[in-house]
Amino acid sequence: MAKFKNHILVCAGTGCRASEGEEIVQELKTAVSQNQLENEVQVVRTGCFGFCEKGPIVKMIPDNTFYTQVKTADAKEIVEEHIIKGRQVQRLLYENPEDATRISDSKHMNFYKKQIRIALRNCGFINPENINEYVARDGYTALGKVITEMTPEDCIDIIKQSGLRGRGGGGFPTGLKWEITNKVESAEKYVVCNADEGDPGAFMDRSILEGDPHSVLEAMAICGYCIEASVGLIYIRAEYPLAIQRLKIAIEQARDLGVIGDNIFGTEFSFDVEIRYGAGAFVCGEETSLIQSMEGLRGEPTVKPPFPSVKGYMGKPTNVNNVETFANVPVIINKGAAWFASIGTEKSKGTKVFALAGKINNVGLIEVPMGTTLREVIFDIGGGIKDGRKFKSVQTGGPSGGCLTEKHLDVPIDYDNLLESGSMMGSGGMIVMDEDDCMVSVAKFYLDFTVEESCGKCAPCRIGNKRLYEILDKITKGKAQFEDLDNLRNLANVIKDTSLCGLGQTSPNPVLSTMDNFPEEYLAHVHQGKCPAKQCKALKEYVINAETCVGCTLCSRVCPVNAITGDKKQPHLINAQLCIKCGACFAKCKFGAISIQ
């Protein structure tokens, strides 16, 4: 890369590729060629920059100009104005919503100011399909240091001292897990990377694999050295084609360079990596289900103990960590345990990657120090709630987590605080909701997901969650009685206490957290037959205001069941008995005469 005077970095993650990111790359290359700049300008596909709300992203190096919402038609102008004439394309610069000023460098944007990128350190900076660019940013130096200068025990001690905990949701100390596997005597052991990311709205692991696959390969090799394993397996869902493609390229390049394979760095240590595909079963995110699936069996959890560290893949000791956990390992080795432990809180060290989604202005992928508050994430980094609406809740931890409220906004984000608040860290999904969201419907949505994804092995999860969903369905249809609320809570607690694996044990969390934080909404549905958020279809009632209705007849013409009557230029009426509550009239009325009661 050194021979080029300028580099144009283009986000080539899944999100931006879906918005013509690849076409932008081709147009930029064409513009570079047409201006005979091939020896001076390089167009580089990178991983996710994180600011998905403003994608596709194009970043100019060396001046760090950050262009947002770029289109294919902008490519020629970027080359001719920025590269040739040295002038920034002002209309493509990020506009600060506070004062409408244009910001050219991402480090001055509120979205990035409070972030510390460790797991995401290379995403958006390197071409993930070029191992030399990874090496140029200290890639594989940690592996070389470990296998040539340290014993497995020395390396494990560094990981333990760093305080790194599993980022897949459980939060188990990573170094301790490695140590347990290390101490088990076996001629054959395995390292497994859990890339089966199934939470709705989550894309943390996918983005790391798409933007920096070598960081995971390097960490797996380090883990293999520490536990005396020679084989690494990456279990990834087949729905991640781009991540799979870049993993395959990375593995081949790493083999060619000799950083995985036989006799790495001229030592006796050999370690190779294989990819195994999942079919998208959420339960296979649980490590024993994942192992069963890799063995060609039905993806179901097994009773623990024995834990995988003792008896895992093919009955051999197996260390399982997720993508984000592994991505932290090389930088911990290079910068030291004390450096990593200085970031975060007393019991939760380092940073956490979150997929920020929902009713928020800055949807994207963020990485913040443990201890950052929800308020900072949602309002400073996330830019607040869309359309000036009022914040209502945030769901952390995906289907296994809980819905937190305004009273939790100043809670520092770490494993323990979120558990105490009735939610959990999970793998890092964070979905923000506003005043228009019905919390009973939200709980029902997650229960519907869990029911579909349950493997069915244990009765509490297979049957209990189905009964939970049925009660929630009754509530959202206005058919529930007061005793149904007691039954809902009791059943949720029984499922938590008796389910076999983490899926069932945490599935009632959305129900219990919404019942605790929004009891008035449950009571309104049951006692008043009303949905305060006006989202539950069965509880909606469409009413025409006679004072504002002009009798244009548009509503009656779009009604599929002829429930609306009235003469032209006269106020119309809706027959509640005939109305199927499809909302067509509400959507079409140009005068705001139709309201939802």
Side-chain angles (χ1 to χ4, degrees):
M1 289 181 66
K3 69 175 181 178
F4 296 102
K5 293 180 180 179
N6 296 278
H7 303 276
I8 306 177
L9 310 184
V10 184
C11 177
T14 293
C16 284
R17 281 170 68 98
S19 300
E20 299 187 336
E22 184 60 30
E23 289 81 355
I24 292 170
V25 169
Q26 297 305 323
E27 287 296 317
L28 285 167
K29 287 186 173 182
T30 298
V32 167
S33 177
Q34 288 175 344
N35 288 281
Q36 300 179 340
L37 296 170
E38 297 96 325
N39 295 325
E40 298 181 26
V41 181
Q42 184 184 41
V43 180
V44 181
R45 295 179 182 84
T46 72
C48 179
F49 284 93
F51 206 170
C52 305
E53 183 71 31
K54 296 299 179 181
I57 303 292
V58 171
K59 187 170 185 176
M60 312 297 289
I61 300 295
D63 64 1
N64 290 320
T65 298
F66 195 87
Y67 289 132
T68 61
Q69 296 179 313
V70 178
K71 296 179 174 58
T72 53
D74 300 322
K76 183 178 179 181
E77 185 177 1
I78 289 174
V79 172
E80 293 181 352
E81 285 293 311
H82 193 111
I83 300 295
I84 297 176
K85 298 178 182 178
R87 300 188 300 214
Q88 293 176 333
V89 183
Q90 291 294 314
R91 63 184 179 81
L92 296 178
L93 297 177
Y94 173 71
E95 183 177 305
N96 187 350
E98 296 176 0
D99 56 15
T101 57
R102 296 284 181 173
I103 301 176
S104 64
D105 194 329
S106 58
K107 68 182 180 181
H108 300 305
M109 299 175 187
N110 289 338
F111 182 79
Y112 290 104
K113 282 182 180 178
K114 294 189 176 183
Q115 294 193 49
I116 297 178
R117 293 165 73 91
I118 298 176
L120 300 177
R121 62 193 177 278
N122 291 324
C123 294
F125 290 94
I126 66 171
N127 178 354
E129 298 181 12
N130 187 337
I131 192 172
N132 294 323
E133 295 194 17
Y134 179 71
V135 171
R137 288 176 64 88
D138 296 327
Y140 291 105
T141 58
L143 175 61
K145 181 178 180 180
V146 166
I147 66 177
T148 61
E149 301 176 14
M150 299 182 189
T151 65
E153 291 74 20
D154 290 336
C155 182
I156 289 172
D157 282 342
I158 291 175
I159 302 301
K160 287 174 65 177
Q161 292 168 18
S162 73
L164 176 65
R165 296 172 64 174
R167 299 303 198 244
F172 191 83
T174 303
L176 180 57
K177 180 181 279 192
W178 290 18
E179 183 177 57
I180 294 170
T181 317
N182 167 273
K183 290 182 177 180
V184 179
E185 295 292 335
S186 177
E188 193 174 358
K189 297 181 182 180
Y190 294 93
V191 174
V192 171
C193 175
N194 181 353
D196 188 71
E197 187 174 48
D199 291 11
F203 51 99
M204 300 79 58
D205 292 349
R206 186 198 75 202
S207 296
I208 292 173
L209 291 175
E210 290 177 356
D212 191 18
H214 286 285
S215 66
V216 176
L217 298 183
E218 182 177 13
M220 291 178 70
I222 292 171
C223 179
Y225 175 77
C226 290
I227 69 170
E228 300 179 342
S230 61
V231 177
L233 304 170
I234 301 177
Y235 183 84
I236 183 170
R237 52 182 46 221
E239 294 98 323
Y240 281 179
L242 183 60
I244 292 169
Q245 174 191 332
R246 290 181 176 167
L247 266 176
K248 288 180 176 179
I249 293 171
I251 290 170
E252 288 303 315
Q253 290 179 344
R255 284 180 185 145
D256 292 342
L257 196 62
V259 289
I260 63 172
D262 296 331
N263 305 115
I264 300 173
F265 288 112
T267 68
E268 295 182 357
F269 175 60
S270 298
F271 184 85
D272 211 343
V273 178
E274 301 173 12
I275 299 175
R276 300 293 172 83
Y277 301 111
F282 180 63
V283 72
C284 287
E286 194 276 334
E287 58 182 5
T288 63
S289 300
L290 179 154
I291 290 170
Q292 292 275 297
S293 177
M294 287 202 306
E295 292 176 345
L297 304 173
R298 182 181 174 89
E300 294 179 336
T302 58
V303 177
K304 295 184 285 188
F307 292 90
S309 293
V310 177
K311 186 179 180 181
Y313 181 69
M314 297 301 179
K316 306 298 182 180
T318 303
N319 183 92
V320 184
N321 288 122
N322 89 316
V323 170
E324 185 185 342
T325 308
F326 277 129
N328 281 282
V329 170
V331 73
I332 290 174
I333 299 299
N334 283 331
K335 293 192 175 184
W339 167 81
F340 189 82
S342 69
I343 303 168
T345 64
E346 182 180 355
K347 295 182 180 180
S348 300
K349 304 298 185 181
T351 58
K352 181 71 188 78
V353 179
F354 291 100
L356 196 56
K359 306 284 188 67
I360 193 161
N361 283 313
N362 296 337
V363 170
L365 192 72
I366 68 170
E367 184 172 2
V368 294
M370 294 283 193
T372 303
T373 65
L374 287 168
R375 186 183 302 277
E376 291 175 288
V377 169
I378 295 169
F379 291 96
D380 294 342
I381 298 172
I385 312 304
K386 275 187 177 296
D387 302 321
R389 307 295 288 172
K390 184 179 179 182
F391 167 79
K392 185 172 187 177
S393 179
V394 57
Q395 167 85 4
T396 67
S400 302
C403 296
L404 305 179
T405 67
E406 194 168 6
K407 68 182 180 182
H408 300 107
L409 283 176
D410 294 312
V411 170
I413 299 171
D414 66 15
Y415 292 97
D416 302 309
N417 285 331
L418 289 179
L419 283 174
E420 290 175 8
S421 300
S423 187
M424 63 185 297
M425 183 80 71
S427 60
M430 189 176 287
I431 300 177
V432 179
M433 290 162 274
D434 67 13
E435 56 198 301
D436 293 330
D437 288 296
C438 169
M439 303 316 296
V440 183
S441 292
V442 167
K444 179 182 169 183
F445 165 81
Y446 282 111
L447 255 294
D448 184 37
F449 178 85
T450 303
V451 168
E452 288 293 319
E453 294 295 336
S454 172
C455 74
K457 184 172 184 177
C458 72
C461 182
R462 181 182 71 250
I463 303 172
N465 279 320
K466 182 66 174 177
R467 298 291 88 82
L468 272 186
Y469 176 83
E470 289 170 353
I471 296 173
L472 287 168
D473 191 49
K474 284 175 63 179
I475 294 173
T476 58
K477 290 179 178 177
K479 298 178 180 180
Q481 304 298 320
F482 183 77
E483 55 266 25
D484 287 314
L485 295 179
D486 290 333
N487 292 337
L488 190 67
R489 184 178 292 276
N490 291 337
L491 181 55
N493 286 319
V494 169
I495 294 170
K496 283 179 69 73
D497 293 339
T498 58
S499 291
L500 176 61
C501 80
L503 187 150
Q505 292 164 8
T506 58
S507 59
N509 283 346
V511 178
L512 292 172
S513 65
T514 52
M515 290 187 77
D516 289 339
N517 293 320
F518 301 94
E520 70 285 352
E521 289 204 27
Y522 280 86
L523 291 173
H525 282 73
V526 174
H527 292 302
Q528 301 171 26
K530 296 289 185 182
C531 174
K534 300 177 182 178
Q535 293 298 316
C536 295
K537 182 177 179 180
L539 303 182
K540 288 181 179 180
E541 183 179 353
Y542 291 91
V543 177
I544 296 177
N545 186 331
E547 295 182 1
T548 52
C549 178
V550 299
C552 69
T553 74
L554 181 59
C555 59
S556 62
R557 282 183 277 143
V558 299
C559 180
V561 292
N562 299 317
I564 302 176
T565 57
D567 297 327
K568 285 185 178 181
K569 299 184 179 181
Q570 296 297 320
H572 284 41
L573 293 173
I574 299 177
N575 186 329
Q577 300 300 316
L578 296 177
C579 178
I580 59 172
K581 303 172 184 179
C582 65
C585 59
F586 181 80
K588 288 292 184 179
C589 182
K590 299 178 180 180
F591 302 97
I594 301 177
S595 61
I596 304 174
Q597 302 297 319

